[in-house]
Amino acid sequence: MEKLYTNGTVAESASYETPFADIQPRREMEDRTMSSEDFFSNYFQEAESPFLRTYEATSSNNTVTETQEEYVNLLSELNNTEFGETLYELANEVEDTWRSKVSNETAMGDKYIPFAAQQAQGYFAPLIKESENMIDRIAMHFSGNNLADHSEAELESFFSNLEFDHAQYSPVQEQFFGKLFDKVKSVVSKGVSLAKKGIAAVGKLLPINIVLDKIKGLIKPLLNKVLKFAIGKLPKNLQPYAQTLATKFLNLETPVSNFSNDGESEDELESIQTELDNHMAQLLFSPGESEAETLNMEYETSFENVERTNSYDSNESSDASLSDARQKFINELKELPQGESPAPAIERFLPVAIKLGISLIGRPKVVNFIAGLLAKLVSKYVPANIAQPLAASIVDIGLSAIGFETYEAGKADLAYEAITNTLEETLQNLSGVDEATLNNPEALTMNLLEAFETAAANNFPPQYIKEELRPTKQKAVWVRMPRNMPVQFYKKFTHVYDITIDPQSASSVTTFRSLPLANFLTDKYGLDSSKPIKARVHVYETLKGGKLSTISRFEKLPGLNAKQPKAWVQLLPLTKQAASLLLKEPGLGKDLISKKLATRFRVKGGQRFYYLEIDGARLRIPPVNRSEHKHSEKGQPQSATESRSADIQAIINFIKSEIKLNYYFSEEDAKAIVEKLNKNDFLGAAKSIRQSIKTVLNEMLQKNISTKVKIIHEAIPELYLEYFESNQEQFSATDVLGKLAGNEIISKLVEKISELISSKAYDALVNFFKARAAEFKDAQAQPQDGVTVKLSWANVPGMAAIRTIINAIRGNLSIGNLSDLSMPNLQVPDISIVADKKFD
C-alpha cells in the first residue's frame, strides 16, 4: 500500500473515493454531523408558548429611572434602518474615487491604504465641512436660550425652514447629510423635552450648544469608519463595544450580547450606526463637559482599541496577501518537475488558505497529513500535458459568458487556477472540524474528502467529475472575476440561463425580506408579473470580503455595470428554491439563514446571487429629493434610492405603552389601489389591499420578526431581537438553559404581540379605506415614491405587565407567576397617511 506521509499517520490512497470521473469509488462517505435539534427538541417544545411555565427572577430590585426611559427612547429615535443603506452607498462612492486609478493594489503594498485615504479626503472634505456648519447653525440658534421655552411647533418650524445649498453634492452625499440632520434634530428635540420636565427629574444637563459641539467632533471619525469599511479594514467587534456603553448607562446586570463574529463583515454597517447613536445619546445625558470630552476621545480611538484587542486569527490573512499566496502557489505548480509531488507546495499554501477556528501552528503532523492527502487528489492534473487540455476545456465552456482575456486562451494557467480554487475552497469549507477531528485521522480524512468533492465539482469542468456529483446539468464551471486584475472579488458561473418566468414562479420565489420576486419585477422594472417574462440569468458567488456593489462595478452587462446607479440592488439571493423554480438546477442554490436574507448588506464569502437580464427593463430611480430638510437648489435632484418595494415596520414601545405599525406600499402597489378606487371598484381595491397586506407585508413581518420589530424597553438597548437571542458565551454552563428560557420567552412574547398587531391592523385598514380612501389617493398623487400607512395604539392595557416580565428576565427586577398574563388589549388605532417611505 502507498502511504501519504511517513509521519506516524498512515493513509492509503487507493481506499479513498475521489470526485473525478475516471476513478472508481471504493466506498460511500457518510455524513456524521450531529444536529443539536434533537438535544433541545423537548426543551423548545416546552417553551413554545411563553405562558406555559412560571418564570422566577430573584435578581436585584433596581428601579427604572426616568433618565433611563428617556435614554432608551432617544436611542430608538436615533436608530434608522435606512442609515446603514446610506453608509453602504457612501462607501461605494468613496471607493470609486480611487478604484479607477489603481490597476494593481497588491503591487502598491503599504502605499495602497494611504493612497485610498488621500483620494477619499477630497470626497469627504466638503461633506464634513457642510455637516459641521449645519451643527454650528443649530447650536447658535439654541445657545443662550432656555430650552424649556421652545414649543414643539417652534422646533418643527425652525428645523423645517433651514435651507442648504448642495448643488455640488451627489444624491448619496445629500442622503447622508439628511440622515445626520435627522439625528441632530432628535438630540435637540430630546434636550428640549428633558428641559421641560425640569433638571431635577433627569439630573444635570449640559448646555445644548456644548452637546452639539461634541457631536460635531464625531463626524470625521464616523466617516473614517466608512472609509475603513470600503477598504475592508473595519474591526469585527465594534458592536459589543458600542453596546457596552448602553449597558453601563442602564445598569443592566446581564451584558447585551455580541453580534455574530465569524470572520466576515456582515454586520459592520449596523455596528457603525449603533456606536454613533450610543455616543450621541450619552453626550446629551453627560453630567459634565469632562465626561463628554472623554466620550469623544473614546469614539475617536475606539477603532484602534478594537483593532488591538481583535487581531485576525493567525491562520487568516488579508485579501491581498491571500492573492499573493495564490499566485505563488500557481507558479510553483507550473514549475513543478515531472513526477514530483505537489505536497510541499500545498503545505506552504495551506496556512494562508485554511479557515479553521483552531491554529495549526505547532501541528506539523496534521499539516503534513492534510497536504499529503490533497496532493494525492490533485497531483494527476499538475503535469503540463494534462493541465493544458484542462485549461482549454475551461476556456471553451466559459468564453462566451466570461470573455477570457486573449493571453489566457493558450496557456495552462487556468488549469492551475482551477486546482488552486479547489484546494482553497476545500480548506475554507471544512465542516465539523474541532480538536477531536484534528486528532482523528479517519474523521479528518472524511471531512477533507467531502469538502474536496464539493470544491472540485465547482471548479473543474463537468466532464472531469462523476456524473452523480455534478451540481449542474450544464457544461459550465465557476471562474474568479474580474479576469484582468490581480485580486479577484467574486466568481461567475460560465453558463447563462435563458428562462421564462411564469406568474406562478414569480409569486412563489422569494427574495430579500421574504418579498416575492413578482414584487421586485413590478417595483424595480415596472413589469407586469402576471404575464410570462423572458430573462437571461447570470449567476455569481461572492468571495471573502466581497460586496454586491463590487460585482456590479466590474460587470459589463446591460443594466449591471459601473455606469448604472444602484445596479447592485438587482442581485438577488440564489437560494435552492430560486435555483429550482427558475433554473431547474437546485444544486446551484445555497440557502441562507433568515438573518442573512433580511437585508442586502449582510453579504459574506460563498453566498450566491443572480441577475435577471431582461430586454428593455432598466432599474427605475425616481427623480425625487428624499431629504427631510429644505434644499435651495431648483428642481428635483435624482434620488439616491431606487424605486422601492413593499415594506413593514412594527414598534413596540413598552415605556410608553404604545404600539405602532407602518405599512409601506410601493408606488406600483399604491397606483394599482388608486386606479381601482377611481373607478369605484372598491371590491377590487380591497382585493389589492388584501394581496399587499395579508400575503406580502404581514408574511414579511412574521418571517422577519427579529429584524422588523423595534423593541423600546430599558432592558433591551439592542432594539432588535436578532442582537441578543443567540449569544450564550458570557454565561456559565449551568446558566445556559435558564438564559435560553428567558430569551425564548421574550421572543415568544414579541412574536405573539406581532401576530396580534397584524390581525388588528388589517381589520382597521379595511374600515379605513371604506371611509377615508381620498387620503390615500392624495398621498399617492404626491411626487414622492410610494405611500406609508401609519397605525398607532396609545396607552395599550397590558403593556406594563409585559414590561415588568422582560425586566425580570434580563435581571433587573423580581416577579412571580406568568400563568395569568394576558396579551395587550388593542382597540381601534389612529391612522395617518403620508407620501414616501416614512418609518420611525
Side-chain angles (χ1 to χ4, degrees), residues 178-189:
K179 297 302 180 187
L180 183 63
F181 179 90
D182 291 341
K183 289 181 183 290
V184 173
K185 178 182 175 182
S186 292
V187 171
V188 173
S189 299

Side-chain angles (χ1 to χ4, degrees), residues 134-151:
M134 174 262 292
I135 294 176
D136 284 339
R137 289 176 62 182
I138 297 172
M140 184 179 299
H141 177 81
F142 288 100
S143 63
N145 295 330
N146 185 352
L147 282 182
D149 293 339
H150 294 275
S151 67

Side-chain angles (χ1 to χ4, degrees), residues 125 134 250 273 279 314 398 415 523 531 708 742 807:
M134 174 262 292
L250 297 171
Q273 175 168 209
H279 277 81
S314 58
D523 300 325
K531 299 177 181 178
K708 286 295 176 186
N807 262 321

Side-chain angles (χ1 to χ4, degrees), residues 138-211:
I138 297 172
M140 184 179 299
H141 177 81
F142 288 100
S143 63
N145 295 330
N146 185 352
L147 282 182
D149 293 339
H150 294 275
S151 67
E152 290 186 12
E154 289 172 336
L155 274 177
E156 192 59 40
S157 175
F158 168 75
F159 281 105
S160 63
N161 286 311
L162 282 174
E163 294 187 359
F164 307 93
D165 185 5
H166 296 163
Q168 77 280 18
Y169 285 179
S170 72
V172 174
Q173 289 175 313
E174 172 79 1
Q175 192 84 347
F176 170 81
F177 182 90
K179 297 302 180 187
L180 183 63
F181 179 90
D182 291 341
K183 289 181 183 290
V184 173
K185 178 182 175 182
S186 292
V187 171
V188 173
S189 299
K190 179 59 67 175
V192 171
S193 174
L194 294 174
K196 287 180 179 296
K197 293 182 178 182
I199 299 298
V202 295
K204 183 180 179 181
L205 288 176
L206 284 174
I208 194 65
N209 58 306
I210 294 179
V211 172

Side-chain angles (χ1 to χ4, degrees), residues 101 406 640:
K101 303 174 185 178
T406 305

Side-chain angles (χ1 to χ4, degrees), residues 55-62 804 807-809 811-816:
Y55 189 93
E56 298 289 346
T58 57
S59 301
S60 62
N61 291 317
N62 295 335
T804 303
N807 262 321
I809 291 171
N812 277 12
L813 301 170
S814 297
I815 62 170

Side-chain angles (χ1 to χ4, degrees), residues 665-730:
F665 292 83
S666 71
E667 183 66 19
E668 292 302 312
D669 285 345
K671 200 179 294 182
I673 293 171
V674 169
E675 287 176 358
K676 292 181 172 62
L677 291 174
N678 287 336
K679 296 176 182 178
N680 294 322
D681 181 10
F682 295 103
L683 184 62
K687 184 178 179 182
S688 295
I689 295 167
R690 179 182 178 86
Q691 170 70 20
S692 294
I693 295 176
K694 283 282 189 181
T695 62
V696 177
L697 291 168
N698 287 351
E699 179 80 0
M700 186 189 302
L701 179 66
Q702 296 307 317
K703 289 185 176 179
N704 298 276
I705 284 177
S706 65
T707 59
K708 286 295 176 186
V709 180
K710 183 187 289 188
I711 306 166
I712 305 175
H713 189 293
E714 62 276 2
I716 308 180
E718 304 98 327
L719 298 176
Y720 294 94
L721 288 176
E722 64 171 336
Y723 299 147
F724 75 89
E725 59 189 10
S726 62
N727 183 45
Q728 307 302 330
E729 292 182 359
Q730 65 262 32

